Amino acid sequence: MKSPDFVRALANLYAVQLHLCSARSPSSYTLARSVHAHMIASGFKPRAHVFNRLVDIYCKSYNLVYAQYLFDECPQPDVIARTTMIAAYSAAGKLKLAGEIFGGTSFHMRDTVFYNAMITAYSHNDDGHAAIQLFCDMRRDGFRANDYSFSSVLSALALVIENVKQCQQLHCAVVKSGAGLTSTVFNALLSVYIKCATSLQLSPSLMVAARKLFEEMPERDDPSWTTMITGYVKNDDLLTAKELLDGMNEKFGGGWNAMMSGYMHHGLYHEALDVFRKMLSSEIQLDEYAYTNVISACANAGFFNFGKQVHAYILKNVVTPTPAFSLPVNNALITLYWRCGKIEQAHEIFNRMTVQDLVSWNAILSGYVNVGRIDEAKNFFEVMPEKNLLTWTVMISGLAHSGCGEEGLKLFNQMKLLGFKPCDYAFAGAITSCSVLGSFEQGRQLHAQLLRFGFESSLSAGNALITMYARCGVVDDAHSLFLKMPCVDSVSWNAMIAALGQHGHGAQAIEFFQQMLKAGILPDRITFLTVLSACSHAGLVNEGRQYFDIMYKCYNISPGEDHYARLIDLLCRAGKFSEAKEVMKLMPFEPGVQIWEALLAGCRIHGNIDLGIEAADRLLQLIPQHDGTHVLLSNMYAVVGRWEDVAKVRKLMRDRGIKKEPGCSWIEVDSKVHVFLVDDAVHPEVQLVYDYLQNMVHEMRKIGYVPDTKFVLHDMEFDQKESALSTHSEKLAVAFGLMKLPRQATVRVFKNLRICGDCHNAFKYMSKLVDREIVVRDGKRFHHFRDGKCSCGDYW
């Protein structure tokens, strides 16, 4: 039997050893477990102070499961252990378990610290009302509030502030209690005034009150200056924020970081970098917030060289960075490098990181997605140890914008099956997938789901829906949606202008552009691309030239190669080759692939063989492995019957190992996509389609249809040419739609290449014969066939 003195001495020894293990490090945690194991092996029953120390260490080491086990095994844990567990549950977001401990603690055991822990738990878990109610209960029950009580309840009030009166009442309570003399409470009260000024849109008067409180503070520390400067920044008063910062004599870094963050939020990246430079020259202590701010500014503005200099400065001057410093800074560096086109260097930084979190993994994934390396992104996505909603959203959006619509939709459905509630950005990615596939029915279903989830006011999802409806051939629904959207931006206007242009409504697209300008929305380079395309599709040459000219004159937007390509396409489609060549001479750069492709396409339309050969030669030098150039050149020769030259081009393709992309058309019937190839022999009902099409052609001949064999670009007999025309993929898909879809339903077909001229003519006769609308989206635009006419007016 061991004496009480021995047990007391042993308990004190264990307590000292555990006190030495209180630091949050792996080695300290391992040592604490060894001490605990020794206790168990020796049969020592820990006294309250030893038990509390054990619970505290397990909580701080994030081993909450074992801390809870110890707590539950104790027959009567004291208020210290209970307070520790409430704080641990709060940090872990387990508010219900914290509340159970609080509610299960008898009134006579409670003290102010115990109440403070629960008030803080509510506040940290965004339940401001519960925190305020508990604070009131504490005071009613006779417990005296201290500085920490007021700091916690003020933080809670900042979450749920509804009127200025609440702010003023609590301010009075703080003053009466005498707690207002401490900087901690002053700072918390200042935060409430700032929050109130921002959320209640009463910034002028409340910011004056906040500034008065700030000036009255007996001692202003780093949080005080940071809170005040942040308040001005959040209320878009950068000038006053800068004046306040300039008047700060102390070398506090928080205020400088707040100013830099404010400039970044308003897109003033040069000003943000100036703040960083002044911090360096003033010898302000730079922390992870300063470095992440300046690196993020460089990433957003594309200042790669400056970002590299900051990276070098960190490597040179931060000798032993802590994990708390390295993790956010490295995550910012990853984003900097991939946004500036250096994805390999970004991945090297990721690989060198000793600690990685989900932000790190998502940053690399975003990099691969945004630079278009979708296969590597998919591989990276598969090996990620953890995924959150952002991970899934980035991948879904990446697949959609890379043309992998089917994979994007599958991933969206998989995400939902795993229990993730999709956000509006995830919906936008899935809807974009439907745009890629031309899956109108699935797009409509997603629209309905979007409304059920309450995202009807989402700008990103709304813009994706406009594009989806437009790309599925339902431009009227796109327009209707645009008009119903609660707010629109330049992306919305651009999407609608593009939709009208693709559907051949050039005049309406221009009218829409004028409405955009009247609405005060400034056009960007994308706007002018869509306007020029709309003019090109509609043959509006004068209007197109006019809009090209005002880009720089009126909006200071320098035309890029893509804008010049649109202008040359516009001129060549109209047969104005001399004007197109003059534009090419005046360009501030050498013509690239886009320019020569536009010229070649125009030459094919108008049979300008000599200029077409010149354009093809230049393209063969620039992109020798591209199949489109060879095909266009071959087709030009075929149209004029130069079969020897056709054979030479095809031999060149074989020698270079170049394969022509096969014509492919698809149609959605009963929520299933049916794909047809030229000369299709794979589709299970293709023979029925051929029979139906043969009968259809027979009836069409009676009302004037004559197969145009000049679009058979092979040297064969006339009868063979007529037969070849009937096997084009778009004809098969349209015939299948006419067979399977309900009467009067619109037939919507999508093709990967430009529609064949004979098919275009045939669909006009089909629409008249069956009295149905046929919509075909080819690689360039939409064609709406109705009553024997096409929306393009045969200008395509």
Side-chain angles (χ1 to χ4, degrees):
M1 184 75 178
K2 295 175 181 176
S3 68
D5 289 340
F6 175 81
V7 174
R8 189 180 303 109
L10 185 60
N12 289 336
L13 176 63
Y14 282 135
V16 170
Q17 290 176 327
L18 291 173
H19 178 72
L20 296 173
C21 301
S22 59
R24 295 190 186 187
S25 68
S27 60
S28 300
Y29 173 59
T30 303
L31 181 58
R33 292 197 64 176
S34 299
V35 174
H36 190 193
H38 192 274
M39 290 184 203
I40 297 171
S42 66
F44 174 76
K45 300 295 183 185
R47 296 188 174 189
H49 67 298
V50 176
F51 171 80
N52 292 342
R53 182 69 69 181
L54 275 172
V55 171
D56 182 60
I57 287 173
Y58 281 119
C59 287
K60 287 180 178 177
S61 304
Y62 308 109
N63 194 338
L64 195 53
V65 173
Y66 205 79
Q68 183 176 349
Y69 171 76
L70 277 178
F71 183 83
D72 292 342
E73 287 294 304
C74 182
Q76 189 58 44
D78 63 14
V79 70
I80 296 175
R82 293 167 185 270
T83 303
T84 302
M85 287 303 298
I86 287 174
Y89 282 135
S90 169
K94 299 183 177 183
L95 191 59
K96 183 179 179 183
L97 293 175
E100 288 175 359
I101 292 177
F102 184 87
T105 302
S106 61
F107 186 78
H108 74 275
M109 288 183 67
R110 300 179 183 182
D111 59 14
T112 298
V113 176
F114 182 70
Y115 272 96
N116 289 347
M118 196 63 221
I119 292 170
T120 302
Y122 284 128
S123 178
H124 285 179
N125 288 276
D126 298 331
D127 194 346
H129 290 293
I132 294 168
Q133 183 60 53
L134 186 58
F135 174 79
C136 295
D137 293 344
M138 179 184 78
R139 299 186 73 197
R140 184 199 62 209
D141 293 337
F143 292 92
R144 183 179 176 80
N146 59 17
D147 297 353
Y148 198 85
S149 310
F150 280 109
S151 299
S152 298
V153 75
L154 284 166
S155 297
L157 181 61
L159 298 171
V160 296
I161 191 85
E162 294 174 351
N163 56 62
V164 180
K165 203 170 188 180
Q166 288 178 308
C167 190
Q168 294 168 337
Q169 286 173 343
L170 203 52
H171 190 175
C172 291
V174 170
V175 173
K176 287 179 181 178
S177 72
L181 297 175
T182 67
S183 59
T184 305
V185 178
F186 254 123
N187 289 336
L189 185 57
L190 191 61
S191 294
V192 173
Y193 272 110
I194 297 296
K195 174 74 175 181
C196 194
T198 306
S199 61
L200 300 183
Q201 298 180 342
L202 298 169
S203 55
S205 59
L206 279 174
M207 285 306 296
V208 169
R211 183 63 177 267
K212 184 173 181 293
L213 177 65
F214 175 78
E215 299 292 350
E216 291 172 353
M217 290 177 68
E219 183 181 349
R220 293 188 286 270
D221 56 10
D222 194 359
S224 315
W225 287 93
T226 303
T227 301
M228 199 66 225
I229 292 171
T230 301
Y232 285 121
V233 165
K234 285 188 174 180
N235 285 282
D236 299 328
D237 190 354
L238 296 180
L239 183 61
T240 307
K242 182 65 168 55
E243 290 174 355
L244 187 63
L245 182 69
D246 291 340
M248 183 174 68
N249 295 323
E250 298 87 347
K251 293 185 177 181
F252 295 139
W256 291 85
N257 289 338
M259 194 71 241
M260 202 188 323
S261 180
Y263 281 134
M264 284 176 54
H265 180 72
H266 288 81
L268 302 171
Y269 301 117
H270 285 284
E271 288 81 354
L273 298 190
D274 284 341
V275 172
F276 181 77
R277 291 189 187 99
K278 289 177 182 176
M279 290 178 75
L280 283 175
S281 62
S282 303
E283 298 182 349
I284 304 293
Q285 182 66 42
L286 299 173
D287 58 12
E288 63 270 23
Y289 300 107
Y291 285 119
T292 52
N293 272 335
V294 71
I295 293 167
S296 297
C298 292
N300 290 332
F303 300 149
F304 181 58
N305 289 333
F306 193 95
K308 278 184 69 177
Q309 291 172 15
V310 173
H311 189 186
Y313 184 87
I314 294 169
L315 295 174
K316 180 180 178 181
N317 293 279
V318 186
V319 182
T320 54
T322 64
F325 176 94
S326 297
L327 187 59
V329 171
N330 280 323
N331 288 344
L333 283 169
I334 289 171
T335 302
L336 166 72
Y337 277 90
W338 75 249
R339 281 196 176 174
C340 294
K342 312 291 183 183
I343 185 66
E344 278 78 16
Q345 289 92 322
H347 208 151
E348 285 176 17
I349 294 171
F350 175 84
N351 289 335
R352 287 197 302 265
M353 291 171 68
T354 55
V355 178
Q356 300 156 338
D357 63 0
L358 187 53
V359 176
S360 321
W361 288 85
N362 281 342
I364 289 290
L365 180 68
S366 298
Y368 280 118
V369 165
N370 280 275
V371 299
R373 290 164 62 167
I374 199 67
D375 289 334
E376 287 159 286
K378 286 193 285 187
N379 293 335
F380 194 81
F381 178 83
E382 291 299 325
V383 300
M384 288 180 69
E386 182 187 358
K387 299 179 180 72
N388 63 2
L389 181 59
L390 176 62
T391 315
W392 289 92
T393 302
V394 166
M395 198 65 233
I396 291 165
S397 179
L399 289 167
H401 287 99
S402 297
C404 306
E406 189 173 354
E407 289 182 73
L409 283 177
K410 285 180 179 177
L411 206 63
F412 179 78
N413 292 326
Q414 184 184 344
M415 178 191 74
K416 290 198 296 181
L417 288 174
L418 290 173
F420 288 93
K421 180 183 176 181
C423 63
D424 55 336
Y425 292 104
F427 269 110
I431 292 164
T432 301
S433 295
C434 294
S435 299
V436 172
L437 295 171
S439 184
F440 178 57
E441 291 303 323
Q442 288 192 67
R444 288 179 63 187
Q445 290 172 19
L446 285 171
H447 190 178
Q449 291 177 33
L450 187 81
L451 297 176
R452 286 202 301 272
F453 275 85
F455 294 133
E456 60 270 16
S457 61
S458 167
L459 188 57
S460 60
N463 291 340
L465 281 168
I466 290 174
T467 302
M468 184 276 294
Y469 280 120
R471 294 203 58 175
C472 289
V474 197
V475 71
D476 290 340
D477 285 5
H479 192 190
S480 176
L481 178 69
F482 176 88
L483 295 175
K484 292 176 183 175
M485 286 173 65
C487 63
V488 293
D489 61 2
S490 61
V491 177
S492 320
W493 287 93
N494 290 346
M496 200 60 231
I497 294 168
L500 292 167
Q502 287 175 337
H503 286 265
H505 307 310
Q508 287 178 258
I510 289 174
E511 182 183 343
F512 223 77
F513 175 66
Q514 296 298 335
Q515 291 176 16
M516 173 182 173
L517 298 180
K518 289 177 183 177
I521 305 293
L522 284 176
D524 55 22
R525 64 184 317 278
I526 303 299
T527 311
F528 283 103
L529 283 174
T530 59
V531 170
L532 289 169
S533 292
C535 292
S536 180
H537 288 313
L540 303 173
V541 177
N542 293 333
E543 292 85 346
R545 295 218 63 153
Q546 174 193 341
Y547 290 124
F548 184 88
D549 290 339
I550 68 171
M551 276 182 65
Y552 186 77
K553 289 179 182 177
C554 299
Y555 299 100
N556 201 31
I557 299 173
S558 298
E561 184 178 356
D562 44 3
H563 296 98
Y564 276 101
R566 297 291 200 284
L567 177 61
I568 288 167
D569 182 65
L570 167 69
L571 296 170
C572 291
R573 280 178 180 273
K576 297 181 180 296
F577 293 104
S578 58
E579 290 185 36
K581 291 175 72 176
E582 189 64 27
V583 169
M584 291 174 67
K585 288 179 184 177
L586 297 174
M587 289 193 310
F589 44 75
E590 287 296 313
V593 171
Q594 294 184 67
I595 305 293
W596 291 112
E597 283 183 337
L599 186 63
L600 178 58
C603 291
R604 183 199 60 79
I605 293 170
H606 292 279
N608 191 333
I609 301 295
D610 293 335
L611 186 57
I613 291 172
E614 179 188 346
D617 285 341
R618 295 302 297 270
L619 283 169
L620 291 174
Q621 295 171 26
L622 293 169
I623 44 173
Q625 295 301 116
H626 183 56
D627 69 318
T629 305
H630 295 79
V631 171
L632 276 177
L633 182 59
S634 173
N635 291 351
M636 286 178 61
Y637 284 136
V639 167
V640 295
R642 291 170 57 170
W643 299 110
E644 289 184 5
D645 291 319
V646 170
K648 288 178 182 177
V649 175
R650 290 177 178 167
K651 182 178 183 302
L652 181 63
M653 290 178 69
R654 287 195 300 271
D655 293 342
R656 292 180 172 179
I658 300 170
K659 292 185 178 180
K660 176 183 178 294
E661 181 183 359
C664 171
S665 301
W666 60 96
I667 183 171
E668 185 181 17
V669 176
D670 295 331
S671 297
K672 182 180 178 182
V673 176
H674 296 261
V675 180
F676 293 88
L677 300 173
V678 64
D679 296 322
D680 200 300
V682 176
H683 192 279
E685 297 184 75
V686 72
Q687 192 54 53
L688 292 174
V689 174
Y690 281 130
D691 293 342
Y692 180 89
L693 194 55
Q694 187 176 5
N695 292 332
M696 175 73 69
V697 170
H698 179 71
E699 294 299 317
M700 286 159 55
R701 284 178 180 272
K702 293 179 182 178
I703 57 174
Y705 169 66
V706 177
D708 194 341
T709 57
K710 74 179 180 184
F711 291 103
V712 179
L713 304 174
H714 294 271
D715 190 11
M716 57 177 64
E717 296 299 323
F718 182 82
D719 290 345
Q720 292 175 305
K721 287 187 176 183
E722 281 202 5
S723 177
L725 288 173
S726 66
T727 66
H728 284 192
S729 64
E730 57 265 54
K731 277 199 183 81
L732 300 177
V734 168
F736 184 77
L738 292 172
M739 288 171 55
K740 295 294 183 179
L741 291 172
R743 288 185 62 83
Q744 305 306 317
T746 299
V747 176
R748 293 186 177 86
V749 167
F750 306 87
K751 186 180 180 183
N752 61 333
L753 304 176
R754 189 176 186 272
I755 188 173
C756 156
D758 177 71
C759 290
H760 187 274
N761 188 41
F763 295 152
K764 291 194 290 186
Y765 283 96
M766 282 187 187
S767 67
K768 186 175 183 179
L769 185 67
V770 299
D771 192 25
R772 290 171 74 169
E773 183 180 15
I774 299 169
V775 179
V776 178
R777 186 186 88 190
D778 67 10
K780 293 290 184 181
R781 60 174 299 163
F782 278 87
H783 300 268
H784 293 253
F785 300 95
R786 188 186 289 123
D787 298 326
K789 298 176 183 178
C790 179
S791 59
C792 73
D794 295 335
Y795 187 89
W796 53 287

